[in-house]
Amino acid sequence: MLKALKFSYRELDYKSLLYLKSLFIKIGRKHQILAVLVLSAIFSTTSYALPEENEFETKVQLTVSGVVTDVNGMPLSSVTVQEQGANNGTLTDFDGNFTLGVSSSESVLIFTYVGMLPVERTVGGNTTINVQMREDTESLQEVVVVGYGTQKRSDITGAVSSISANDIAGQPVANINEAIQGKVAGVNITPSSGEPGAPLQIRIRGMGTFGNSGPLYVVDGMPVNGSDVNSIDPNQIESMEILKDASASAIYGSRAANGVVLITTKVGRVGKPQMTYNGYYGMQTFNNFIPLLNSQQYAELNNDASRNAGMAPEPAFANPGSIPVDTDWQEVSYRDAPVQDHSLTISGGGEDARYSVSGGYFDQKGIMVFSSFKRYSTRVKSSFNVTDKLTIGESINLSRSLGENMGQGNNLDFAYLLGAPPTMPVYREGNLGGYGGPNPAETGRNNRDNIVARRDNMRNNSAFNKALGNVFAEYEFIPGLKYRLNLGLNFGLNTNKAYTPKYEAENRSVLIQSLNQSKNESYEYLVENLFTYEKEFESFNISLLGGYTRQNASYSYMSGSIQEFPSNELRVIDAGTGSYNLSGNEAEWALESYLGRANVTVLDRYLFTATFRRDGSSRFGAKNRFGNFPSLAVGWNVHEEGFMADVNSISSLKIRGSWGILGNQEIGNYVSQTTMNTSPRYIFGEGQAISPAAAITSLGNPGLKWEETTQTNIGVDLNMFKNALTFTADYWIKDSKGVLLRTPISVASGIGRFNGPYENAAGIKNSGFEFLLAYRKAAQDFNYEISANVSTVKNEVTTLGRGSTILNLVNNAYNFGVFTHTAVGESMSSFYGYTMDGIFQNQQEVEAHATQPGAEPGDVRFRDLNGDGIISDEDRSVIGDPFPDFTYGINLSASYKNFDAALSFTGVAGKELYNSQSAYLESMDGEHNQMATTLNRWQGEGTSNTMPRAVRGYINDNARPSTRFVEDASFFKLRNAQIGYNFSKSVANSIGVSNTRIYISGQNLFTITDYSGYNPDVLGGSGWASNDLNPLSMGVDTGTYPIPTTVQVGLQVGF
Amino acid sequence: MEIFKLRIIKNKVMKNLKIIFIGFFLALVSFGCSDDFLERLPPDALPAEGFLNADRAELAVNAVYATLQTYELYSNTLSKLYDPPTGDAILVNTSGYGFNNFQYTTADPHLMEVYSALYEGVFRANIVINDVPEIEMDADLRGRYVGEAKFLRALYYWHLTTLWGDVPLFTEPVEVPSDALIAKTSREEIYSVMIQDLEDAEAALPLKSSYSASDVGRATKGAAQALLGKVYLYKKNSDLQAEEWFSKVIESGEYDLVDDYGDIININAENNKESIFEVQFAETGQADLGTFRVAYNNPQVNGGTGNTLPTQQMVDAYESNDPRLNHTIFMEGEEFAPDLGDDLATYKSVWSSTGYNLKKGLFPVMYVNNRGTNFPVIRYADVLLMYAEVANQLSMIDEARNAVNKVRKRVDMPLLTPAETGTQGAMFEAIVHERRVELAYEFHRFNDLKRWGLAEEFLGPLGYKPRHRYYPLPQEEIDINDLLEQRTGW
């Protein structure tokens, strides 16, 4: 007994210290007073908590002893054992044993334990009473985490999807978003790239804004950016809740317009310390290459292109049949790469303290050479009931991630990889560094770099250090009325170092070393004051929430580069001897909010939720700084009605409806003000000295205010046949008004086209349906569950301010030009271009067609849409859009005796992409390698009506944005398949563990699609980097790091 | 038993009101924080409103110069609009291949970049011209500031009208984006604004020699005179005025040719006596103060990208033994960069797909990011040749020949004789040749051919058509501004 006590008090003191330390670190100077007060409160209570002398005596007649265990036979410590109606009681010890003197054999013993159903036993004649306690599943499973609290599932009025630890378990994913792909209706998760450490793009219910369309993430109460989620080990997730409609997310007001994802990390459960290990080791493979030309085919195409342009063939290709080198650049750039993950969690607790401590290690090599991502993470989460009324706790995540060549799986890399001449050797003896490179005499005019040499030499190492967490103190004044102070911290320190040594690769040699190093620090704190009141009355329950919160974030960035080093081995700034460059920046923002929510449940069947949030943001002008975000929702538990009593097949039926207004503030930090920018400078004087300058480089808009989205949702939840069948359906409308938009302005103003003022200019409407249907059946040995979900999104631009159309310029290594167009009445980012109408087969056809400057037989014929007899910019039109007709997921799981299996499919139907990469690889202009599809090019009348001739130059610009490159990107893929085996208890126990499961699983085992690029499941973007996504050029596939097929074996052990 | 006692004690504690007080106090502390929590000003910029005063006026003037230095203008892109269309250079390994053979479209991003940057310069000049006269400060200095801005505004409009012909004219700063949505003004009208600006600048600006050492690089009286002459040269039927202004430059005694042609654009001989106005670049550790011209035109072996490559046609244009060829173009076997190692000691033609690399302004080669090299806008040799051109037009053939011969004498080329260049026509031919080789890759050739009416003859094989007389206005500008009409033929 004493042993247990000592343990818990030692733990407590240690936690107090930790708490003290973290408080001081985390909170700003302003809040230090507060921290001291919290601490004094804690110490003033704990100091009283020392044993003192007996005050009561109990007449002991009989001594009872026994062991308390859970259903698995594991002993439970710190279970309260009390004699009913008397003042005596005890706690079980570490091994679940208790001994208690009771007054008589009629006495009733009550066993209570948090999270377990209470047990009553009459002593009778027994002096040994062994008790098995069951989890209070009602309270555990039916509770859903909502913003600033929890709610019973049956009381929820909003559209909330939950993902539990079980749904994520055993899936080898680096990022938690990956694990929920295809499992939640209305949530579209696309891996922007298969590159290690790359973030995922998550879109909840369409695209409602022109800026950042990702949701708000809240980790254990701390709102964070999407990129911060990468620092969290998926093994540490207890649950994820996706708040999709206004009722659910309005409590996050200003930042909830794109939905909210709540992440709760694992909490300790009362009981003996439990240790679990989760780990896997797998292999990633990729060989779904894009067929490209070999050396001979490449040389022939180039000769063809030169000939057609009236130019002499390149000397290097004089004899296409006898070129000695034939490099398959995909073969040499991709490799099989291992991935492994290990995590260990220890959790447990007594009645007054619960804890969970874990550590994780994740290591993924990239399938593209010279890339990797590693993450070390550790997490502590605990809570203490200091007194019956005061609870304190914390959740702290620390992680360090190391990436090599991250962010280099970009457009430029793929332009080099796929466009490189097959005539170029990978290696060349005698060159410094040993790599080959392009040179006109041998490999042709194509000057694409040797990608292997480039990635090997230009190593880019990143480190991401993250401390994310919160501490809280909660005090219950009177039963039901609680005050909670929550202090959150999000600290990040990222560093990056890129060194390019001196190396030879012919024409692409680099003979000057250069080093670039940068540091990026972010610091964000949150202070929340929350009051909650809950009370149950005869016929109704109420739950009230009121709060005041502040959040402040600041960022600083510094970068330096220097050139020329005495040796390739010297790789730090102070060893550099050449020119250098220094840059830096700082920014900050602040948010102040008042929030309130009332939930009323009448007779368990009529549910009402009202929320209100008032947010003030530093990003807006003083006049419009605050925005109000109300929401209302009703729910009706139809099955509770008397008239449903006889309908036995229906176990529950709920109809929900909600309405609310949400906000968005995702614009630059200071864009409401017009300022004099002092970054322009000039040089004057004989000494060529820097002279400062100041200019207006962008225009502010002091009248700027919050973007508002009105969301309406109607839904129904139906459970039938004792919950065997579950059906959920929702219809939603998100109507965004005053969407923050930097309308392009005339550059004749002297201000850059995209540096005009932000305006609350546009309107976008999204609407859609979501359905989820699941059936589960449990038998003695055989359990299974089948679920399917389908969702649709319709996107339409309703206004665009001054009515102008936004033509978005795409500029990257493949192409530049206008590929998309955003106009009123159409989907955002509709593809925009010419309509291909076959190939001119002969000169007569060219002449018979509208004037198409430069066109010759073999060139693409574009349609004269406006009928003016000339092919010009006026003949462009909308030629597709990236919004799918619907997306769906199918999940199957089953278990038989000790075996279990799961399959998870996802699919998208009716989606189009503009394949910018194939525009580059089918340009046939002789500048880079081409896809094998160009073997079927036009080579004379009647040879092709789809693939034009090869020709150098841009005479007809056959690769201009047109229907030629709009592709159907619908797909269906097996995202995850898994088979597991649970060792029986006796086997597990015999090797000293409580349970053990091994599994084998595979990801992306197959994809069915007609799409010709690496990956149909991309959002598309515009820039050079694969994650440089711009909603205004969504669907333009600029080339992404391929998604590998992964197969791994995993082990889960409970000790 | 002990446990139980603890419980009881705890219960006592909780009756203590202390904690309740603390709780409320905490709430008050955090509620009562300062009101400026949401007031966050940019840490790196001051509000535009009320920014200009006697001390800060110079910052606004310097900003007008800073635009010259941008990537879009003299640091990189401007050259794509001027050099490749002459056929004397070809773009490779970059973007903008359309400029190699008149295949650019109205949507070409480089057109947009340059057009946009030139208007940035106009906007910044307009701020100075509009606001600085209101500032209470030293009148001479104030006059000089406005004079500098007027010179630069004329220079920006000179590029705009030379590249695009008729364009929108702004003489006051745009305040809201809709102010910019106006129709084109004719090139002639813009010329009268430029002439007025330059006359004002000429009156207000000091001589090059009267600037302090720390102000070297600013617009001078001589620069205003030279540009005025050039504007009249480009304007029809204004040879007399042009001759007058060029003569003033020549007679001022402020300028002369440098002895070594290799010093024309040379990081070791900047702002020399031949320089009338040049864009200043310096390698200070600030990326935006250097020129990309060097890195982009160095061969890749030196870490460059070799974008603008001289063509055989240009090499052939030089008279035999003209030393200017070797100062302008790297050729097989020439000294390259012995300081950077044996492999870079001599130039190798395999480094380039045309066999040549640009040398003017890139030599001496130190390392690829030798970015501090200034670039000339107007130099004395150009003024001499422009003078020769107008003198010839005015039948002062001897004066014309003398001016050309000054330029030829510097490089020891045989002087033109009256026998060869006795007629206006023959003299003109000689000037056409001399401008091409003397001023190669300094952005003159394309403009010269167009204004002389020789573009179709020389550039026709490359794809030149009458509509290429001026560039098309950027498509995005046409799309955004209903009043703006595209040039005919586009």
Side-chain angles (χ1 to χ4, degrees), chain A residues 207-213 258 664 707 736 739-740 764 766 828 1031:
Chain A
M207 305 268 271
T209 183
F210 293 134
N212 181 359
S213 304
N258 297 318
N664 182 21
E707 180 177 311
S736 303
V739 172
L740 297 166
I764 305 168
N766 286 278
M828 276 168 74

Side-chain angles (χ1 to χ4, degrees), chain A residues 52-54 87 447 507 509 511 529 550 579-581 588 674 676 682 685-686 688 692 694 744 746-747 807 873, chain B residues 4-5 25 30 33 40 46 48 59 62 93 106 213 216 270 280-281 283 285 287 300-301 475 477 479-480:
Chain A
E52 280 180 16
E53 60 193 73
N54 258 339
N87 276 329
N447 199 40
N507 220 338
S509 298
L511 299 178
N529 297 279
R550 280 185 160 190
S579 69
Y580 61 92
N581 188 335
E588 109 183 284
T674 299
M676 282 305 245
Y682 198 66
E686 284 172 358
Q688 297 271 284
S746 166
V747 297
L807 294 170
D873 286 343
Chain B
F4 229 57
K5 282 179 254 157
F25 188 68
S30 41
C33 290
R40 307 281 162 169
L46 290 169
L59 299 182
N62 294 349
N93 294 338
T106 58
V216 167
E270 297 184 326
Q280 310 287 314
F281 291 102
E283 193 147 17
Q300 281 135 0
V301 289
Q475 184 62 41
E477 288 293 290
D479 290 343
I480 212 167

Side-chain angles (χ1 to χ4, degrees), chain A residues 557-633:
Chain A
Y557 167 76
M558 211 174 132
S559 159
S561 66
I562 189 158
Q563 296 193 311
E564 289 189 286
F565 289 79
S567 140
N568 279 352
E569 274 63 56
L570 296 179
R571 299 184 171 207
V572 286
I573 282 180
D574 66 355
T577 56
S579 69
Y580 61 92
N581 188 335
L582 195 62
S583 61
N585 197 357
E586 282 182 19
E588 109 183 284
W589 58 266
L591 190 71
E592 181 178 31
S593 317
Y594 303 86
L595 53 96
R597 177 174 58 206
N599 290 312
V600 181
T601 305
V602 180
L603 298 169
D604 282 338
R605 69 189 77 147
Y606 308 112
L607 319 168
F608 303 91
T609 305
T611 62
F612 178 77
R613 177 151 172 155
R614 179 172 166 79
D615 274 325
S617 166
S618 64
R619 286 176 173 164
F620 298 103
K623 276 177 283 178
N624 301 313
R625 202 156 265 166
F626 280 90
N628 298 322
F629 305 99
S631 96
L632 288 170

Side-chain angles (χ1 to χ4, degrees), chain A residues 16-27:
Chain A
S16 303
L17 283 170
L18 194 77
Y19 186 67
L20 169 72
K21 198 173 162 191
S22 46
L23 267 176
F24 275 107
I25 296 167
K26 281 159 194 275
I27 52 180

Side-chain angles (χ1 to χ4, degrees), chain A residues 140-160:
Chain A
L140 284 178
Q141 288 174 3
E142 292 295 318
V143 168
V144 174
V145 178
V146 294
Y148 303 100
T150 55
Q151 236 182 320
K152 278 201 288 187
R153 167 62 77 182
S154 59
D155 288 349
I156 281 186
T157 54
V160 179

Side-chain angles (χ1 to χ4, degrees), chain A residues 859-937:
Chain A
D859 283 334
V860 176
R861 172 169 41 212
F862 297 106
R863 207 169 277 168
D864 182 17
L865 291 185
N866 66 354
D868 66 351
I870 183 160
I871 304 301
S872 68
D873 286 343
E874 307 290 308
D875 295 309
R876 293 176 298 171
S877 67
V878 170
I879 52 176
D881 77 77
F883 287 88
D885 296 340
F886 60 94
T887 57
Y888 56 98
I890 300 168
N891 296 290
L892 309 168
S893 63
S895 65
Y896 177 70
K897 289 188 174 165
N898 291 350
F899 287 96
D900 60 79
L903 290 173
S904 168
F905 299 92
T906 61
V908 168
K911 173 189 177 180
E912 287 171 317
L913 287 175
Y914 186 88
N915 193 341
S916 170
Q917 184 168 270
S918 73
Y920 173 84
L921 295 174
E922 291 182 344
S923 62
M924 293 184 286
D925 54 9
E927 297 291 339
H928 34 74
N929 199 12
Q930 303 284 298
M931 295 202 279
T933 49
T934 58
L935 290 171
N936 299 320
R937 64 187 176 274

